[in-house]
Amino acid sequence: MKLSEYRPRPRLRVPGSRVERAAVPAIDAHNHLGRWLTCDWAVPDVGALLELMDACNIRAIVNLDGRWDDELEDNLDRYDRKHPGRFLTFCHVDWNQIGRDGALAASLRRSVGAGARGLKVWKDLGLHVRDDAGKLVLPDDPRLAELWETAAELGIPVAIHTADPIAFFDPVDERNERYEQLLAHPDWSFADRDRFPSFDRLMDALEALVATHPRTTFIAVHAGCQAEDLGRVGQMLATYPNLNVDIAARIAELGRQPRATRDLVMRFPGRVLFGTDEFPPSAETYATHFRFLETLDEHFPHSADDPPLMGRWHISGLGLPEYVLGQVYASNVGRLLGVPA
């Protein structure tokens, strides 16, 4: 048998739960419903999605795929305008306009005027985007200041994804805990220092950005973009009141440190957002997230994948109290987006 074929079956006998509906009406604050990542609509049947949302007690989904101009209009038509209150679409900006005075701010103004509820900034900023001189552009680049200040002026949040799991920046060898995932997706490795900044350099850029623009509301997605270092996430939340985080696509990391995660959420219950980043959404995905947030179950799978590429380990639940669940599930993102909780 090859080691890659090894599938040990845990023999622990521990109580378990299945939580099919959120304890309170929830807003999935991080998902992808458009064509940007999938080339075709990530959700081909919107009616079926609405039925799933009702069954799982999902009141609304934030769609981070709006892009700009015609693509934004198509997303708004398909989701927000056709199903008011159920979808909240964020826009992007075209980084090719960096260095063109006022262009990024003007694009954001047009998008918000059309109906975009926030700005999504992907990890390509810091890892791939280069200016006309070929220089890598990081989030704290002064040329982007007009964009962040315009977001503050318009009263919209910036959902920013900087870097990726720390292991993606390590050598892809026998010591890398995401070895199988990086073998499956070699383009996800950022270990080449001649091409990519270090993980810590990117986190420093993120922190400098949040510190320099205190009027701008930021949502550092994926557990503050550093789920493996909740100590720094907590320090940043304590230092910068304009910073929020979501848990999207990071319950694997958070669930293997449940005490530290619970402590963080209990310290900052008004600054943590529920989100999944699982597309298309499924009942199984939501049930796993609800179980993680609502129960004290121990040692359960974070993914139905076999093997689970996000990590060959199980997770434990947080057992958050109901008043905190209400904030994490809905009222925090509702406040940021100006929608009823």
Side-chain angles (χ1 to χ4, degrees):
M1 180 182 68
K2 296 179 180 179
L3 185 60
S4 61
E5 298 170 346
Y6 184 47
R7 300 288 190 277
R9 181 174 51 159
R11 304 308 288 156
L12 280 177
R13 296 182 177 181
V14 293
S17 311
R18 181 173 176 85
V19 185
E20 296 186 350
R21 287 176 56 83
V24 299
I27 298 175
D28 185 343
H30 186 139
N31 220 306
H32 297 277
L33 308 180
R35 298 179 288 205
W36 166 52
L37 295 174
T38 55
C39 297
D40 202 351
W41 293 111
V43 175
D45 187 339
V46 180
L49 174 59
L50 288 165
E51 291 177 3
L52 171 69
M53 292 166 64
D54 291 340
C56 297
N57 207 15
I58 302 295
R59 184 158 58 85
I61 294 179
V62 174
N63 171 29
L64 297 176
D65 289 357
R67 305 297 273 169
W68 56 85
D69 295 338
D70 290 345
E71 186 66 15
L72 173 62
E73 290 292 337
D74 287 350
N75 274 268
L76 292 171
D77 284 343
R78 181 179 176 85
Y79 295 111
D80 303 46
R81 293 166 182 158
K82 191 170 184 179
H83 307 282
R86 304 307 301 272
F87 301 103
L88 305 155
T89 293
F90 279 35
C91 65
H92 299 208
V93 292
D94 182 358
W95 299 123
N96 290 321
Q97 297 182 351
I98 290 174
R100 302 175 187 174
D101 190 36
L104 294 175
S107 174
L108 183 59
R109 290 183 190 279
R110 287 196 305 273
S111 294
V112 173
R117 307 303 292 265
L119 171 65
K120 165 65 174 176
V121 176
W122 198 47
K123 64 184 178 183
D124 56 345
L125 183 67
L127 289 171
H128 297 293
V129 173
R130 295 181 180 273
D131 62 16
D132 292 340
K135 180 182 177 183
L136 200 63
V137 180
L138 270 66
D140 60 347
D141 191 300
R143 291 172 292 181
L144 304 181
E146 65 172 35
L147 179 63
W148 318 126
E149 289 303 310
T150 300
E153 177 189 335
L154 296 172
I156 60 162
V158 177
I160 183 166
H161 175 178
T162 302
D164 253 342
I166 295 177
F168 287 15
F169 293 79
D170 294 335
V172 184
D173 58 21
E174 72 279 3
R175 295 187 178 276
N176 193 307
E177 67 178 356
R178 298 293 188 94
Y179 183 74
E180 289 174 298
Q181 191 175 22
L182 292 170
L183 284 185
H185 302 280
D187 56 316
W188 292 1
S189 173
F190 304 116
D192 186 346
R193 285 297 153 267
D194 292 332
R195 297 174 57 204
F196 304 108
S198 69
F199 177 85
D200 289 329
R201 173 65 185 95
L202 289 165
M203 289 302 98
D204 290 345
L206 174 63
E207 182 163 4
L209 169 64
V210 175
T212 305
H213 299 278
R215 297 192 314 122
T216 306
T217 298
F218 292 96
I219 305 168
V221 300
H222 305 312
C225 304
Q226 45 193 332
E228 305 92 334
D229 190 355
L230 296 186
R232 183 168 185 179
V233 175
Q235 290 176 349
M236 289 178 63
L237 286 170
T239 305
Y240 310 109
N242 58 322
L243 179 65
N244 306 268
V245 303
D246 74 24
I247 66 168
R250 291 299 181 269
I251 65 170
E253 297 292 350
L254 299 174
R256 65 173 174 169
Q257 46 180 334
R259 290 190 296 275
T261 299
R262 192 179 195 278
D263 287 347
L264 182 77
V265 178
M266 295 301 293
R267 283 177 61 201
F268 304 100
R271 314 269 290 285
V272 179
L273 282 57
F274 163 69
T276 63
D277 194 25
E278 293 276 355
F279 49 97
S282 71
E284 194 64 37
T285 291
Y286 282 129
T288 301
H289 281 75
F290 301 157
R291 184 182 186 185
F292 170 63
L293 292 170
E294 297 183 26
T295 80
L296 287 170
D297 288 358
E298 294 183 301
H299 198 74
F300 58 89
H302 57 77
S303 170
D305 293 340
D306 185 20
L309 291 183
M310 294 286 282
R312 281 192 181 232
W313 54 76
H314 280 38
I315 64 173
S316 297
L318 305 183
L320 297 175
E322 187 170 343
Y323 78 93
V324 174
L325 288 171
Q327 294 174 276
V328 172
Y329 270 142
S331 65
N332 292 340
V333 68
R335 181 185 70 254
L336 297 182
L337 300 185
V339 299

